[in-house]
Amino acid sequence: RCLAISTGMAALASVTRLAKAGDEILLSDDSYGGTYRLLAQVCKRMNISTKYVAMDGKEGPARLEAAMTDKTALVMVESPTNPMQRVCDLRGLSKVCHAHGALLEVDNTLMSPILQRPLELGADIVVHSATKFFCGHSDTMAGVVCVNDKELGDRLYFNQNAEGTGLAPFDCWLALRGIKTMALRVHKAQSNAVHLAEFLAAHPMVTRVF
């Protein structure tokens, strides 16, 4: 099931609604600033605690395992992370989450479904800021929440309906228009990025390229 939501941040907020007072959310220690603000300030006021874990690299699943508690309801991660571009083992992280009965949410905005499909790697929930690659024309804002479990999809939809965060009809039309060219835009962006990275890596004033 895929839910179209008013913004990317509203999509992330809808996922946090799956946690209740007294629960704990584990967040990648290198995350989008808006996600950090949502958990550190808004969720905190709802008595939902947040713990920050370095989930990237080969040691990521082990570090996650060490951080899990009986209060952990949700694990939120990006791969690659924003802004440091750290890559996470999503299969390994999902195994740890499911062994503890927690949900794994992956923010896939930076990769888009063209380059990565976290549901196929074990994630329970995938979020996109559709403002970016989905829409692609800087003329609307949107968010997307994807799941492959009916019960989970129903829970997310109930909250979306209750809080009125559905995407407006014209914005849906703009997002559909953007999807038609998303593959071309994403692949061209990758090609351009390689040229930029090679130029910067060879520049004498640049010490490191992420």
Side-chain angles (χ1 to χ4, degrees), residues 59-171:
E59 300 302 318
R63 289 192 290 263
L64 177 61
E65 175 70 43
M68 297 290 282
T69 72
D70 57 1
K71 292 183 178 180
T72 305
L74 177 65
V75 174
M76 301 178 69
V77 67
E78 303 168 25
S79 183
T81 62
N82 179 4
M84 300 304 290
Q85 302 294 290
R86 300 172 184 165
V87 177
C88 302
D89 175 4
L90 296 181
R91 286 191 182 93
L93 295 177
S94 70
K95 290 177 181 177
V96 174
C97 289
H98 298 156
H100 290 268
L103 295 169
L104 175 63
E105 178 269 336
V106 176
D107 185 331
N108 198 41
T109 299
L110 286 182
M111 293 292 275
S112 86
I114 304 298
L115 301 177
Q116 179 172 262
R117 298 181 182 179
L119 291 179
E120 297 175 3
L121 302 175
D124 300 290
I125 308 164
V126 176
V127 168
H128 294 269
S129 173
T131 306
K132 313 298 193 303
F133 290 121
F134 275 81
C135 297
H137 293 79
S138 301
D139 54 9
T140 189
M141 295 190 297
V144 174
V145 179
C146 306
V147 298
N148 58 9
D149 177 83
K150 183 182 187 304
E151 188 272 337
L152 188 54
D154 289 344
R155 289 171 64 191
L156 288 162
Y157 174 70
F158 178 86
N159 291 336
Q160 180 190 33
N161 185 48
E163 296 183 324
T165 59
L167 189 62
F170 185 66
D171 292 318

